[in-house]
Structures are given as structure tokens and as C-alpha cells.
Amino acid sequence: MPNEELVKLLSDADILCDELFLHGPGVLSAEAMAAGCAVATRCLNIKPFQPPVCSITPENISEKLKLLITDIDYRTSLAKAAKIFVDEFNSPNFLQKDN
């Protein structure tokens, strides 16, 4: 799928569920975060990398997705924080700091 189509779909979505078994957020999750979605993904929350995502596992996915769907304040606050996170940590300027 062309990136333009993906960005449009993500811009219309509220929630993206991604990476149940692998540590995320990955590229798709980052695209969703930048588009303003709340993201549910497997995240180990290892300091200092603590992205604002709803951390899911095979054991808790049902309850976590139910929370994201039913708690509008949680979902929107997560999406807003995710957008800020991606704008800061995935910007070309941040990525060039180490070089």
C-alpha cells in the first residue's frame, strides 16, 4: 500500500493494534502515533525508552483494547502524548544528534 494511503487510513483511525509478540513500537506504530492514533503494541518500557503506548501482551490484549475503546479520555490523552513523542524522538533533528 502506498504510504499516502496508509497515512490517510491512520488519520481516520482512533486505535492501531500492532506487534503483539515483538517489542514495539515499530515503524507502523510510529506512523500511527504521528497520525494521531492511540497505539496498542508490545512494549517492554525499558528506561529511557518509554513511549506513550498501551502495552499489550497475549495475556492482556482483551482488557487493554476494551480500555482503549471505552475510555475516551485515556485514548485521546495517549494519542496526544504519542504525537508529541514521535514529533520529538523521530524527527530528523533528533536522529542526527548522535552523528
Side-chain angles (χ1 to χ4, degrees), residues 2-3 13 29 36 39 48 60 66-67 77 79 86 89-90 96-97 99:
N3 187 261
S29 291
V39 171
N60 73 10
K66 182 178 179 180
L67 175 66
S77 68
V86 169
F89 293 105
N90 289 72
Q96 292 175 359
K97 283 185 203 177
N99 295 334

Side-chain angles (χ1 to χ4, degrees), residues 3-4 10-12 25 28 31 37 40 45-46 48 51-52 62-64 67 70 76 78 81-82 85 88 90 96 99:
N3 187 261
E4 297 80 25
L10 293 172
S11 295
D12 292 338
L28 177 58
E31 289 272 13
C37 288
N45 284 321
I46 300 169
S62 294
E63 70 183 66
K64 295 289 188 158
L67 175 66
T70 60
T76 56
L78 196 63
F85 180 88
E88 183 176 344
N90 289 72
Q96 292 175 359
N99 295 334

